Amino acid sequence: MRLKRNFAVLSLLLWMISPSIAQKNIRVDRNQINEIVENLKDSLKIPGIAVGIAVGDEIKYVNVFGSANLETKTPVNINSVWQLCSVSKQFSTVACLKLAGENKLSLQDKISRYVDGLPENYSEISIFHLLSQTSGIKDYLNDKGLYGVPWESVKEKVFSDTLNFRPGDAWRYSNTGFWLAAKILEKVTGMEYDRYLTQTFFDELQMTHTQRISAEQVIESRVNGYEYREGKFYNRIEDMHKFRGQGDGDLISTLNDLLKWNIALTQGKVVKKEMLAALWTPTKLNNGKELEIAPNSGINYGLGWFIKTIDGKKIVWTPGAGFGFSTSSQFIPEYNMSIVVFCNKNEFLMADEIGFSIFRNIAHKN
């Protein structure tokens, strides 16, 4: 898919998925949302949860539950700072899209144009392949077990290995692809990745609590992450101390900051609205078929976002897990609605399921 050539098609897609319903007064029953979250918090044994809901540019619901720190018995508050984990990937994706809109790169550019020392079998990999998780590049975490390893060592060990498949033939999650995207952004902008995000997005949107993860820095109201096993909670702070990744899971933020981001993004204030459909359109593989992340899963993948249908409504989202956290940032185009869920318990897709439960409740009432 070539981004420029498809702008007319993407504009039509966006018009189709966000018509007059965006103007509808979506009802959010605060008491029922509270009940849903409280019940799930207890049944899933989650120390603390934060939930935010926005419709259009209006925040409809914000609430927090439980503990930010079990050791000090500190409750979660509205300004609590959470690990975003892989929700961070959407910032890498949008940054690439923004630079493409400024004609500073193309998503169809081969990554060899920006990254030196690539093996020959990487020659057909494009930026689009990185962002759509169709590059075939080994995941430095799940495939190679290189947690806590600096980039030069990751590059050496991953690049010397074979690809999982020919670029564009299949889908497989690869954190390495997003680390590579961050390196490409640095090459194109001449700025450190973190500085580019701060200057271009965070400062502009007054996201004052959003920054790169830091184990050493004192960060007010930082939430602790936990793992639950054998009937006990265990602190996962050592994961944060070891983490070296970039572009794939390296940001921290607050509920209000991420809601600001979601509102600005979905309202066309970060990149042009007609470009957003590129993020949320299922990727097509080399065989022309829309990819599914697993056979008969009903879950597609765009550029950094997962895509599925719940109760007949399209929902796009970025999930995150790690450091003792589960996070989710969701958008329902037909309702022009964002749902953000943070949990400080390490379990993949747990925050996503809480968000989906909240959406089902809202959808049944609207």
Side-chain angles (χ1 to χ4, degrees):
M1 182 183 73
R2 296 192 176 276
L3 192 60
K4 291 180 182 177
R5 188 179 66 192
N6 283 282
F7 268 170
V9 175
L10 297 177
S11 298
L12 177 62
L13 281 170
L14 192 65
W15 176 81
M16 290 170 65
I17 63 177
S18 55
S20 58
I21 286 187
Q23 307 303 317
K24 181 180 176 181
N25 183 24
I26 303 297
R27 295 186 299 123
V28 177
D29 189 319
R30 184 177 184 84
N31 291 332
Q32 287 201 359
I33 302 301
N34 288 347
E35 184 178 352
I36 290 169
V37 178
E38 289 279 13
N39 288 339
L40 289 171
K41 176 185 175 299
D42 292 341
S43 63
L44 297 173
K45 294 182 171 57
I46 306 170
I49 303 177
V51 177
I53 302 170
V55 178
D57 58 3
E58 180 183 356
I59 295 177
K60 292 277 193 175
Y61 173 96
V62 174
N63 207 358
V64 294
F65 309 79
S67 296
N69 189 315
L70 293 175
E71 291 89 335
T72 61
K73 299 182 180 178
T74 304
V76 178
N77 65 63
I78 295 299
N79 296 314
S80 290
V81 178
W82 302 76
Q83 311 290 348
L84 291 186
C85 306
S86 287
V87 171
S88 305
K89 288 181 173 69
Q90 65 175 275
F91 293 92
S92 307
T93 306
V94 174
C96 287
L97 201 65
K98 183 174 179 63
L99 292 173
E102 295 167 352
N103 296 316
K104 294 178 180 177
L105 58 76
S106 166
L107 299 190
Q108 302 306 320
D109 286 344
K110 300 299 188 286
I111 64 173
S112 56
R113 178 174 178 179
Y114 306 101
V115 182
D116 297 329
L118 292 174
E120 185 177 347
N121 60 343
Y122 279 52
S123 62
E124 294 304 310
I125 297 174
S126 67
I127 297 173
F128 181 87
H129 288 135
L130 299 181
L131 302 181
S132 61
Q133 306 277 22
T134 58
S135 69
I137 297 173
K138 291 283 195 302
D139 184 353
Y140 77 95
L141 294 176
N142 297 309
D143 290 332
K144 305 295 286 184
L146 299 174
Y147 193 88
V149 177
W151 172 245
E152 289 305 317
S153 296
V154 167
K155 185 168 67 170
E156 178 184 353
K157 289 180 170 60
V158 172
F159 290 1
S160 63
D161 204 345
T162 59
L163 295 176
N164 286 318
F165 46 79
R166 186 169 71 95
D169 271 1
W171 182 92
R172 183 163 173 170
Y173 203 82
S174 175
N175 288 283
T176 314
F178 279 81
W179 203 339
L180 272 167
K183 293 300 180 184
I184 291 170
L185 287 166
E186 290 184 332
K187 182 82 169 181
V188 171
T189 64
M191 301 172 64
E192 290 184 356
Y193 175 73
D194 309 333
R195 182 58 193 155
Y196 175 78
L197 292 187
T198 299
Q199 180 174 300
T200 308
F201 299 141
F202 306 154
D203 288 349
E204 185 73 20
L205 298 175
Q206 298 183 348
M207 297 169 62
T208 55
H209 299 287
T210 305
Q211 64 177 67
R212 177 170 171 78
I213 188 174
S214 171
E216 294 79 18
Q217 187 176 347
V218 175
I219 296 175
E220 186 178 352
S221 298
R222 195 204 303 252
V223 179
N224 273 15
Y226 299 94
E227 180 180 357
Y228 188 80
R229 64 179 188 271
E230 299 174 352
K232 294 181 181 179
F233 283 105
Y234 292 86
N235 201 314
R236 293 293 297 273
I237 196 168
E238 76 279 359
D239 291 350
M240 180 180 63
H241 283 273
K242 293 177 182 177
F243 187 69
R244 296 290 181 273
Q246 187 180 44
D248 60 333
D250 54 332
L251 298 179
I252 58 176
S253 190
T254 62
L255 195 58
N256 282 330
D257 270 13
L258 197 57
L259 285 171
K260 285 180 185 178
W261 166 258
N262 283 357
I263 290 170
L265 177 66
T266 58
Q267 299 306 299
K269 297 176 182 177
V270 178
V271 295
K272 293 178 180 178
K273 252 189 175 183
E274 60 264 27
M275 300 180 76
L276 295 179
L279 304 175
W280 306 329
T281 299
T283 296
K284 288 190 176 181
L285 300 175
N286 291 334
N287 61 12
K289 295 181 179 179
E290 290 184 354
L291 72 82
E292 279 189 287
I293 65 168
N296 303 313
S297 66
I299 301 176
N300 306 113
Y301 197 83
L303 298 181
W305 268 260
F306 290 86
I307 306 161
K308 68 182 291 187
T309 299
I310 296 178
D311 290 349
K313 310 299 181 188
K314 178 179 179 179
I315 185 166
V316 297
W317 84 100
T318 53
F323 313 111
F325 293 86
S326 179
T327 59
S328 186
S329 177
Q330 306 175 1
F331 182 63
I332 301 88
E334 188 170 335
Y335 282 10
N336 202 7
M337 181 169 68
S338 298
I339 300 174
V340 174
V341 181
F342 297 148
C343 306
N344 59 344
K345 181 185 175 185
N346 191 44
E347 190 171 324
F348 188 56
L349 297 181
M350 183 172 61
D352 306 87
E353 290 301 334
I354 293 172
F356 298 157
S357 295
I358 290 170
F359 170 65
R360 288 188 183 98
N361 175 272
I362 294 172
H364 291 164
K365 295 179 180 301
N366 290 276

